[in-house]
Structures are given as C-alpha cells and as structure tokens.
Amino acid sequence: MIKYVNSIENINEDNIKGFFVGWANPPSSKKHLEILKGSTYFWLAVDEGKGKVVGFITAISDKIVSSYITFLEVLPEYRNIGIGTELFKRMKGTLENYYMIDLICDEKLVGFYRKFDMFKSQGMIIRNLKKQSGE
Ligand SMILES: CC(C)(COP(=O)(O)OP(=O)(O)OC[C@H]1O[C@@H](n2cnc3c(N)ncnc32)[C@H](O)[C@@H]1OP(=O)(O)O)[C@@H](O)C(=O)NCCC(=O)NCCS
C-alpha cells in the first residue's frame, strides 16, 4: 500500500534512499532531507509495508504568483504503477492558486506532463556540476 504524505514525520536517512538515479554526484540521504526541508512544498510516496520513501516531488515558490517544480522521482522498482502521476496531481493541487507552475524536463517526458495540461515553453538553464551533491 502506497500512502502520500507532505510531512517528514518518521522520515529519516535510513528510509529515504536510492534516489537521484544516474546522477554523477548525487546528494546524500542527509542532503535529500535538507532538500525537502528547504523546499516550499513537497509530497512523498511511502511504501507502508516496507516503511520507506519510494517517490517524491518538490517545489519552490515566492508564495505570491510563481512556483517551480524542482524534482519528481520514483524509485526504479516502483515506476509505471501510477506513483509519479499521483505525486504530480497532488503537487498540482497544492500549487493550484499560483499564476506560474513551471518545470524543466527532457523531451521524452513532454508526453507525461502534457497529461496534466502543461504545455511546452522555452527554458534556459545553468548546471554547476561541482555543486551537484549539495556539499
Ligand atoms: C518520470 C517518473 C517520475 C514517472 O513516474 P512513474 O511512477 O513511473 O509514473 P506513472 O506510473 O504515474 O506514469 C507512467 C506513465 O508515464 C510514462 N512515463 C514514465 N516515465 C517516462 C519516461 N521516462 N519517458 C516517457 N514516458 C514516461 C509511462 O509510459 C506511463 O504512461 P501511461 O500512463 O500512458 O501508461 C519516473 O519515471 C522517474 O522517476 N523517472 C526518473 C526521474 C525523472 O526523469 N523525473 C522527471 C524529472 S522532470
């Protein structure tokens, strides 16, 4: 059974592991918790049976007009069973009163986000790889 929570009560470095798949220098579990705490909003998917976080979504906001979805990730062994969709729906609901709900994604995910009435725009980014781990 997967439950969805927006609190880090009972979440610790031991039960939030395995995320940032494919990153050269991923944030540690400790840094991951700091990312959640530092985000304006987040939702977690928790496998109740295993007592571990299996997906998360975060957003930052000015709390007036703009919001930006920073991360959405589901652990590989939990993908394609609707968890990413549920996390995104919950965050979209959380952000429903903002004028701007933005994110950057790879081309292959455009179809996934279109399902939630998002549309393509232009994006410009900087990626400072030396700072990827947050250390
Ligand atoms: C993208 C991601 C969060 C989706 O989570 P999920 O729990 O597998 O998603 P769901 O099961 O709710 O939905 C799966 C649907 O999205 C599609 N989908 C999932 N990942 C996809 C991908 N990489 N490319 C294209 N489509 C994808 C599936 O085909 C499926 O479509 P359907 O509903 O029409 O069958 C997950 O694949 C993931 O963690 N990817 C790595 C991190 C990432 O890329 N995050 C997005 C950053 S912008």
Side-chain angles (χ1 to χ4, degrees), residues 21 70-76 78-86 103-106 108-113 115-116:
V21 171
T70 37
F71 295 110
L72 168 63
E73 185 174 358
V74 174
L75 291 181
Y78 286 85
R79 287 181 193 167
N80 291 309
I81 56 170
I83 294 173
T85 296
E86 185 60 29
L103 61 81
I104 293 281
C105 72
D106 290 346
K108 66 182 182 181
L109 281 171
V110 168
F112 177 77
Y113 289 116
K115 290 191 289 192
F116 309 104

Side-chain angles (χ1 to χ4, degrees), residues 43-55:
W43 281 96
L44 305 175
V46 178
D47 181 333
E48 284 193 283
K50 299 209 166 139
K52 67 173 191 174
V53 178
V54 299

Side-chain angles (χ1 to χ4, degrees), residues 9-58:
E9 196 180 352
N10 300 323
I11 309 299
N12 55 55
E13 289 174 43
D14 293 327
N15 59 23
I16 188 162
K17 286 181 173 170
F19 289 96
F20 305 101
V21 171
W23 286 41
N25 196 12
S28 63
S29 295
K30 181 168 179 279
K31 285 288 171 192
H32 195 168
L33 286 174
E34 289 177 28
I35 287 168
L36 297 178
K37 288 178 195 160
S39 298
T40 318
Y41 307 103
F42 65 85
W43 281 96
L44 305 175
V46 178
D47 181 333
E48 284 193 283
K50 299 209 166 139
K52 67 173 191 174
V53 178
V54 299
F56 78 104
I57 187 166
T58 48

